[in-house]
Amino acid sequence: MSGMPLETRIWVTFREGVYDITDYIKKHPGGEKILISAIGGQLEPLWTMYPFHEHRAILQTLEMHRIGNLALEDQIDDPFKFFDDPYINDPVMHSDNHVVVEKPYIGSGPLSRLGDEFYTPNEHFYVRNHLPVPQIDPNTHTIELEIEGTDNKKCYTLDDLKRMKNVTVTAALMCSGNRREEMVKAVPGAREMVANLTPNFISNAQWTGVPLSCLLKDMGITTDEKKYKHVQFIGLDKEVTGEPYSASIPIFKATDPYGDVILAYEMNGAPLPPMHGFPIRAFVPGHTGARSVKWLKKVLVSEHEAPCHYQQIDYKLYGPNVNWKNVDYSACPALQMVPVNSAVCRPNNGDTVHVEDGCINIKGYAYSGGGQKIIRLDVTSDGGETWHTATLDHQDKSEAPHHWAWTLWSCKIPVKKDASEVDVWCKAVDSSGNVQPESFKNIFSWKGCPCNAYNRVKVKLSH
Ligand SMILES: Nc1nc2c(c(=O)[nH]1)N[C@H]1C(S)=C(S)[C@@H](COP(=O)(O)O)O[C@H]1N2
Ligand SMILES: [Mo]
């Protein structure tokens, strides 16, 4: 038709369906990655890499864009059979783990167990992958340091790094989406998210490695640095586009000798396990988990933040009014230091607890980012009418603002004589006086982080 603008429409197929995704692309949570193998083609190779797409909410979204079906002679029984599973070599994790997503692996030790040990055993430490685990030969692996746009480059083997002075840092690591499940449940109409994480996406360990501040100082980058504002970490796991997982932190954190950022090769005294970044990862205490890049290949001192989707789009601080229709990604900062948080580890939601002397026992964890220390943990069993101060059972002795570990706590709280169930809430206070918000409603974020409202568990009582 003359006078009508020519427009390219983008169609893809999935199983027997044909879909027009043109209008959907800008809303796609994974960004334009969807274009790479999808233009006029099948979604199956893309979804072999990102199999969590076969999720009810996503299939429903896809159905809204169906424009027809393939001709019978073009339909294939199992279109997936032509594509190899890129996760085939991923390590097998502990069978007790609570698995939220199989591929890429998102799983953790059971919540009740996590709160039992100050140092989380490596096999129960939570894992949050976005891509297949890369296979790396430690004997030939090198780590590059580079100042962007200059010839100032250094290259180290693992042995080179292990010969340098190392430090051991006691620190928790928490995923940006920890406790997201509660946020999604608490907010009516919240969009279902793919990884609805339970409160066990935090763990605590001893990390050994080389201080990044020393390596940077060797390259002339110190706490006085003015030109370069960010340090990017680039991993070896890659998207279908070939783009590696990357993240960045502000230069002040990287150069600060007290910031304790390390290139870590040991976790709880053992070589870093494959799932946690073997043979070496960046470890950024006090910041959200996403910045501690695993399977580290390169450290890039730059004027810019990492280009990665997980720095630019996900794991950002969005207001409750922001959604996919009105979002301005560049206006919202990346999540770095994380706010004060806590959760009950025992009993779990729905458990039956025995009442002794009119009381029940509760235990859990508390943690605050940015080097803050937990100074108090409050528990209530009557909706906040009366609060009880928990005992801080295990806490690292380092002081704020260089306190990186979680705190384990316990509390004996009274319950009503005739009650058959009780709601237990907990909230932590950190060394800068910050306290968790009461509800998720006013802190809702469409990307599901951070999730730090009071933790609430409902338990049945046996008298
Ligand atoms: N290379 C790489 N680094 C990564 C990730 C990843 O997928 N690839 N995930 C990040 C996220 S979101 C988190 S929460 C932590 C999880 O570290 P862990 O699996 O060792 O607990 O690693 C971060 N570093
Ligand atoms: Mo994460």
Side-chain angles (χ1 to χ4, degrees), residues 126-128 130 173 175 237 245 276 281 289 292 294-295:
Y126 88 88
V127 174
R128 196 329 178 190
H130 294 79
L173 189 67
C175 185
D237 46 339
Y245 184 96
H276 297 284
R281 77 181 300 171
S292 289
K294 306 194 267 189
W295 311 294

Side-chain angles (χ1 to χ4, degrees), residues 85-161:
D85 178 4
Y87 295 90
I88 196 93
N89 294 316
D90 270 18
V92 176
M93 294 303 290
H94 200 288
S95 58
D96 284 354
N97 268 12
H98 159 84
V99 182
V100 176
V101 178
E102 284 293 341
K103 299 172 185 179
Y105 191 83
I106 308 178
S108 184
L111 181 60
S112 45
R113 184 168 200 147
L114 272 189
D116 286 346
E117 284 150 299
F118 186 67
Y119 297 109
T120 313
N122 290 356
E123 74 265 28
H124 287 302
F125 200 102
Y126 88 88
V127 174
R128 196 329 178 190
N129 289 346
H130 294 79
L131 295 160
V133 174
Q135 312 284 306
I136 303 174
D137 179 352
N139 299 312
T140 55
H141 185 58
T142 55
I143 293 98
E144 298 156 23
L145 274 86
E146 185 182 325
I147 301 180
E148 199 167 46
T150 74
D151 295 336
N152 196 346
K153 292 183 187 155
K154 286 220 154 80
C155 187
Y156 299 101
T157 63
L158 271 175
D159 283 339
D160 293 338
L161 293 177

Side-chain angles (χ1 to χ4, degrees), residues 376-443:
R376 204 181 68 237
L377 191 293
D378 303 321
V379 185
T380 181
S381 58
D382 57 10
E385 287 303 316
T386 43
W387 289 95
H388 307 271
T389 307
T391 308
L392 305 183
D393 299 311
H394 300 276
Q395 189 166 55
D396 188 55
K397 55 184 182 306
S398 55
E399 289 304 328
H402 305 113
H403 185 99
W404 316 117
W406 69 5
T407 294
L408 298 182
W409 54 267
S410 62
C411 194
K412 201 172 171 174
I413 48 167
V415 291
K416 287 207 187 82
K417 269 200 200 74
D418 47 350
S420 60
E421 57 175 33
V422 68
D423 275 314
V424 179
W425 302 356
C426 71
K427 65 172 160 82
V429 183
D430 75 11
S431 40
S432 46
N434 287 313
V435 61
Q436 293 174 244
E438 183 174 339
S439 78
F440 279 111
K441 186 170 168 277
N442 303 322
I443 60 159

